[in-house]
């Protein structure tokens, strides 16, 4: 485990009765809101991943976020709001498309990029003329913003480059001793970050990050509202965050390495069940042969049907002794894969895995967002700077 600079005591605000409603009604969340108003940073749950929050207008607290995460200065923060009215107050222009998407998907896992109001500090925008806005659905996040009475800037609550935390335990792993408060809110239901759509250029909508809302759903919302607009996706979907030399990324965070566990990640390519089972077996065998003396465990985050087929077909010949296996459903459009990915990465790291094999999914439903994260985690190419 990495050394910690334990310069403060981290207090966990817990929901002792497992009842969000009474927790939200209690005065405990007020303690966290007061800390935010005192310009301290507070980690809190959202439905996508845990966030590391700061008062939107406090340069001191915003700089603290960058320091704690080790986040590059040119990577802007998104602002979290409790309703659309608060969101629009932070933008200098609110196109009809933004109102349509907010009505359809807020509160929820969608971040909208708009031209920024002059009041949004440069610690948030990192010098861009635009700002990212999200209204989270998690009741604790919503209440925290209401109690603070102001927007909260919040990136994912991981040390830069690590998988985003989706549980209290994972958030503590990165932030214990570094923040005064972490609020518990159970496991994040989505499990990976919000979809980011850029509406800052009039008459255009661009996907910057696939996430908890699919592009098909966004297009459908425009259509239902009678707006002739389609979300533009980068031509290279899988490689969308890889940049060619000199290219300026539209979402600055794209250029940094993300989501990576300590273990090396290998992405299996086969989609057909039997072919996929064969591919996993070959990979396991090749590893067992090439490094017979290495007894560190291997992590598998694979489809349940592939695992079933693997056991059926190859049974005893698989070296299950050193395997840590986490399965996800093959037939829920990627929902459980997206939900479990970051949690599995962190679990495998805790178990000391040297390598992790992950099943591919087709891009239906959450599959696109899932594949985007896995490809980034498996990508060791020099195009992605490894310093986030
Ligand atoms: O689900 C989420 O969005 C989570 C939870 C905590 O809300 N937050 C999150 O924040 O993922 P972060 O900072 O880890 O990722 C936000 C991404 C970064 O890649 C950043 O570069 C991009 O949004 N971004 C922020 N402001 C932007 C802007 N004005 N224009 C383009 N991209 C922006
Ligand atoms: Mg992040």
């Amino acid at each position: 485990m990495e050394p910690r600079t334990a310069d403060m005591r981290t207090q966990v605000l817990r929901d002792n009765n497992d009842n969000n409603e009474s927790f939200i009604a209690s005065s405990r969340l007020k303690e966290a809101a007061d800390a935010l108003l005192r310009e301290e940073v507070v980690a809190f749950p959202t439905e996508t991943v845990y966030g590391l929050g700061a008062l939107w207008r406090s340069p001191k607290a915003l700089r603290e976020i960058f320091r704690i995460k080790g986040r590059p200065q040119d990577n802007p923060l998104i602002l979290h709001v409790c309703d659309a009215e608060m969101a629009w107050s932070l933008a200098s222009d609110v196109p009809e498309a933004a109102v349509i998407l907010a009505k359809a998907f807020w509160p929820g896992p969608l971040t909208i990029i708009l031209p920024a109001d002059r009041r949004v500090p440069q610690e948030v925008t990192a010098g861009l003329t635009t700002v990212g806005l999200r209204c989270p659905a998690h009741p604790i996040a919503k209440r925290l913003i209401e109690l603070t009475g102001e927007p909260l800037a919040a990136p994912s609550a991981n040390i830069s480059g690590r998988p985003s935390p989706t549980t209290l335990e994972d958030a503590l792993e990165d932030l214990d001793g570094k923040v005064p408060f972490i609020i518990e809110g159970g496991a994040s239901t989505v499990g990976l970050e919000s979809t980011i759509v850029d509406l800052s250029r009039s008459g255009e909508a661009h996907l910057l990050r696939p996430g908890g809302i699919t592009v098909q759903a966004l297009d459908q919302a425009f259509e239902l509202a009678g707006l002739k607009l389609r979300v533009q996706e980068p031509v290279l979907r899988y490689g969308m965050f890889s940049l060619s030399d000199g290219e300026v990324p539209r979402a600055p965070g794209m250029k940094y390495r993300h989501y990576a566990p300590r273990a090396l990640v290998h992405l299996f390519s086969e989609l057909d069940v039997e072919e996929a089972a064969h591919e996993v077996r070959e990979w396991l065998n090749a590893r067992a042969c090439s490094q017979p003396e290495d007894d560190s465990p291997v992590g598998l985050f694979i489809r349940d049907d592939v695992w079933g087929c693997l056991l059926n077909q190859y049974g005893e010949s698989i070296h299950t002794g050193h395997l840590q296996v986490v399965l996800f459903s093959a037939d829920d459009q990627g929902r459980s894969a997206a939900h479990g990915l970051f949690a599995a990465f962190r679990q495998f790291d805790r178990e000391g895995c040297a390598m992790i094999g992950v099943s591919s999914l087709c891009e239906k439903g959450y599959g696109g967002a899932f594949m985007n994260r896995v490809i980034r985690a498996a990508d060791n190419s020099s195009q992605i700077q490894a310093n986030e």
Side-chain angles (χ1 to χ4, degrees):
M1 196 173 270
E2 283 156 14
R4 284 184 183 143
T5 46
D7 49 4
M8 66 170 69
R9 205 180 134 256
T10 297
Q11 199 180 331
V12 177
L13 294 185
R14 268 178 215 279
D15 177 6
N16 292 329
N17 303 317
D18 222 12
N19 173 351
N20 274 344
E21 268 173 43
S22 67
F23 185 43
I24 287 165
S26 75
S27 59
R28 308 222 51 210
L29 280 186
K30 184 82 173 62
E31 280 181 61
D34 289 344
L36 286 161
L37 289 168
R38 283 197 307 271
E39 303 186 66
E40 294 179 24
V41 298
V42 171
F44 62 94
T46 87
E47 74 280 18
T48 57
V49 301
Y50 277 64
L52 181 58
L55 193 62
W56 71 291
R57 57 177 168 78
S58 162
K60 172 178 165 237
L62 296 165
R63 282 198 289 267
E64 185 67 355
I65 284 183
F66 284 86
R67 188 189 69 77
I68 291 172
K69 278 180 66 86
R71 184 178 175 100
Q73 300 289 334
D74 64 353
N75 195 359
L77 304 173
I78 61 177
L79 295 181
H80 295 66
V81 296
C82 56
D83 54 33
E85 192 189 338
M86 188 184 265
W88 308 152
S89 76
L90 300 160
S92 64
D93 179 40
V94 183
E96 189 192 355
V99 176
I100 291 169
L101 294 189
K103 275 207 184 111
F105 301 108
W106 279 357
L110 177 70
T111 296
I112 301 174
I113 308 283
L114 292 180
D117 183 82
R118 271 179 310 155
R119 294 176 311 144
V120 179
Q122 93 107 30
E123 282 82 0
V124 168
T125 62
L128 298 180
T129 55
T130 54
V131 63
L133 303 167
R134 175 161 119 77
C135 180
H138 195 296
I140 290 178
K142 185 166 184 285
R143 186 70 188 133
L144 185 65
I145 301 165
E146 283 169 359
L147 286 169
T148 312
E150 300 193 50
L152 297 179
S156 49
N158 52 288
I159 298 300
S160 279
R162 298 273 299 141
S164 302
T166 57
T167 63
L168 172 74
E169 185 189 21
D170 292 350
L172 274 171
E173 196 170 71
D174 283 16
L175 299 179
D176 196 9
K178 295 179 176 151
V179 298
F181 289 106
I182 299 185
I183 307 171
E184 176 178 23
S188 299
T189 50
V190 177
L192 49 72
E193 301 87 347
S194 60
T195 297
I196 304 182
V197 62
D198 182 357
L199 300 178
S200 67
R201 284 178 289 173
S202 91
E204 296 178 28
H206 295 271
L207 178 74
L208 300 190
R209 179 175 73 184
I213 304 283
T214 64
V215 170
Q216 293 73 28
L218 298 175
D219 280 342
Q220 199 181 23
F222 288 146
E223 201 178 316
L224 279 175
L227 187 70
K228 283 201 172 54
L229 186 65
R230 289 280 164 279
V231 177
Q232 307 293 307
E233 294 182 71
V235 184
L236 257 179
R237 290 189 69 169
Y238 282 177
M240 65 178 289
F241 291 105
S242 301
L243 301 170
S244 50
D245 278 353
E247 191 186 342
V248 178
R250 217 178 265 151
M254 288 179 183
K255 71 179 185 229
Y256 297 108
R257 184 149 189 253
H258 268 284
Y259 319 123
R262 292 187 194 93
L264 282 179
V265 178
H266 176 82
L267 179 60
F268 300 117
S269 59
E270 300 289 352
L271 290 176
D272 173 80
V273 183
E274 294 205 355
E275 307 263 328
H278 181 73
E279 186 188 13
V280 174
R281 178 183 179 248
E282 294 291 294
W283 182 73
L284 289 173
N285 284 353
R287 188 179 144 71
C289 293
S290 65
Q291 281 145 304
E293 72 294 343
D294 182 355
D295 63 356
S296 55
V298 171
L300 284 182
F301 185 64
I302 60 174
R303 281 163 33 187
D304 51 7
D305 57 350
V306 172
W307 178 244
C309 181
L310 192 73
L311 290 183
N312 248 331
Q313 304 238 345
Y314 305 107
E316 300 302 294
S317 69
I318 299 171
H319 305 270
T320 47
H322 285 102
L323 286 185
Q324 295 281 329
V325 184
V326 179
L327 302 178
F328 61 83
S329 167
D331 56 15
D332 65 356
Q333 304 235 325
R335 200 171 284 272
S336 62
H339 175 75
L341 179 71
F342 289 152
F345 277 171
R346 284 184 177 262
Q347 179 190 324
F348 293 148
D349 271 351
R350 282 195 285 268
E351 304 287 350
C353 293
M355 298 187 89
I356 300 171
V358 183
S359 289
S360 278
L361 274 184
C362 71
E363 290 193 44
K364 269 193 269 146
Y366 287 85
F370 169 81
M371 289 299 284
N372 172 269
R373 304 307 191 272
V374 182
I375 286 167
R376 297 269 294 158
D379 188 349
N380 298 309
S381 82
S382 57
Q383 286 180 346
I384 295 175
Q385 297 175 20
N387 66 342
E388 199 198 352

